[in-house]
Amino acid sequence: MENPKIKIENLNLHFGNQHILKDVNLEIPKNKITVILGPSGCGKTTLLRTLNRLSELNTEAKIKGTIRIDGSDILNTNEDVTVIRKKMGLLAQRPYPLPMSIYNNVAYGLKISGRQKKKYLDKRIEHYLRQVNLWDEVKDRLKDPASALSIGQQQRLCLARGLAVDPQIILADEPTSALDPISSQMIEEKFVELSSNYTLVLVTHILRQARHIADHVVFMYLGEIVEQGSAKDFFENPQQERTKAYLQGQFY
Ligand SMILES: Nc1ncnc2c1ncn2[C@@H]1O[C@H](COP(=O)(O)OP(=O)(O)OP(=O)(O)O)[C@@H](O)[C@H]1O
Ligand SMILES: [Mg+2]
């Protein structure tokens, strides 16, 4: 792959004496949607949380290898970890809006980047809420607490908050699993749109979703990468027996 956005080499992660990620080698293309698939417990969430250096918050974690973003290693570096994390927005399985108003949830992202003027904030907040198709639903109640929104709306709000930090990469861990079908579809369509400007890494269990929006697919099993490739090759012509079995629904 030419100029991958993220390149992982010989990544190994232990939690205590458990070997969770085993010699992971992976390339993630820039401004595309990469989907990570694999049965429960295979290490998808751990891999995602290692990309933005959240895994190391577990004091039991031992991490070796390199993760290069645009060529520079983000694991073995003196760079401030908060600067590294700011390059990536993380969308979790359930929305975690901050305990504040709808407006302030998005303003929070902007304020930590140092922009404070009310007029500027108002404009940007409208921009990000429009970007996630939420503006029309919330424009008359921006001061309401975010918790008053439906789960699907909250997830879109969290996406808006993430975008406001101006990341290059969006990491999403089963972001639609708590959502109704309409909200899920909205998020999927949004991801496709965002992929022209952002690198997206999406963990999902939903094969239909993967087939629908993936450009690139990574399949994991028991902490190892079994197969990776373009979505077309992966779904139409999988090489490994394990991949074939998974695609046929023989194990989850
Ligand atoms: N904080 C932790 N401490 C110890 N072990 C952990 C920790 N987090 C995850 N694990 C273990 O790491 C392995 C991978 O877990 P992970 O959550 O990454 O899997 P997953 O592929 O995301 O599964 P799922 O599809 O169910 O979300 C599991 O065996 C899990 O028990
Ligand atoms: Mg998980």
Side-chain angles (χ1 to χ4, degrees):
M1 186 185 301
E2 233 175 285
N3 294 324
K5 181 71 181 173
I6 306 174
K7 186 176 168 102
I8 303 177
E9 284 176 301
N10 307 322
L11 179 68
N12 281 281
L13 180 143
H14 289 80
F15 284 140
N17 54 19
Q18 268 189 297
H19 198 175
I20 307 288
L21 298 178
K22 299 172 186 159
D23 241 342
V24 168
N25 287 282
L26 201 58
E27 292 186 325
I28 293 175
K30 184 177 170 157
N31 296 358
K32 298 258 189 278
I33 300 179
T34 296
V35 167
I36 302 178
L37 290 172
S40 182
C42 72
K44 302 179 298 295
T45 295
T46 307
L47 178 63
L48 207 65
R49 289 172 55 86
T50 306
L51 286 178
N52 72 347
R53 296 199 36 186
L54 282 176
S55 291
E56 67 202 43
L57 296 178
N58 179 339
T59 50
E60 294 261 274
K62 277 183 298 228
I63 304 164
K64 283 216 171 99
T66 60
I67 299 177
R68 288 180 206 286
I69 295 184
D70 294 323
S72 19
D73 189 356
I74 59 147
L75 283 184
N76 312 287
T77 171
N78 294 326
E79 197 177 358
D80 187 357
V81 66
T82 56
V83 175
I84 294 168
R85 288 191 189 128
K86 261 187 63 182
K87 292 180 188 165
M88 290 168 256
L90 179 67
L91 212 53
Q93 196 161 357
R94 284 172 188 286
Y96 290 104
L98 302 168
M100 46 180 84
S101 68
I102 295 167
Y103 182 97
N104 279 332
N105 260 271
V106 186
Y108 181 84
L110 292 160
K111 282 178 182 165
I112 58 172
S113 331
R115 306 301 296 257
Q116 305 267 8
K117 286 225 172 76
K118 168 120 176 36
K119 232 181 163 175
Y120 173 84
L121 286 179
D122 286 353
K123 256 175 79 182
R124 296 310 289 167
I125 283 160
E126 177 173 344
H127 167 82
Y128 289 114
L129 288 172
R130 280 191 190 281
Q131 213 181 358
V132 300
N133 300 346
L134 195 56
W135 176 251
D136 289 335
E137 289 158 65
V138 302
K139 60 174 192 270
D140 299 323
R141 48 170 174 151
L142 291 171
K143 291 209 168 92
D144 285 4
S147 56
L149 297 172
S150 76
I151 300 292
Q153 290 171 327
Q154 287 183 23
Q155 192 64 305
R156 278 179 279 147
L157 180 66
C158 289
L159 182 57
R161 184 182 73 210
L163 292 173
V165 184
D166 197 21
Q168 305 163 6
I169 299 167
I170 297 169
L171 308 173
D173 193 357
E174 303 189 39
T176 64
S177 59
L179 308 188
D180 63 275
I182 304 278
S183 306
S184 300
Q185 203 182 336
M186 258 177 163
I187 293 273
E188 286 176 13
E189 281 164 15
K190 203 37 71 180
F191 279 11
V192 172
E193 252 176 74
L194 289 171
S195 68
S196 47
N197 293 306
Y198 299 85
T199 300
L200 286 105
V201 186
L202 166 70
V203 169
T204 184
H205 271 293
I206 312 165
L207 273 176
R208 182 202 53 74
Q209 184 171 65
R211 286 182 198 274
H212 184 47
I213 66 174
D215 297 303
H216 194 78
V217 182
V218 174
F219 176 58
M220 292 179 74
Y221 185 76
L222 296 178
E224 293 182 58
I225 305 298
V226 174
E227 184 156 352
Q228 56 182 312
S230 73
K232 191 172 186 322
D233 289 346
F234 184 88
F235 289 116
E236 289 177 13
N237 191 18
Q239 299 298 306
Q240 304 295 325
E241 290 309 313
R242 278 234 157 79
T243 316
K244 292 177 194 166
Y246 181 80
L247 289 176
Q248 285 163 11
Q250 290 175 17
F251 61 92
Y252 303 92

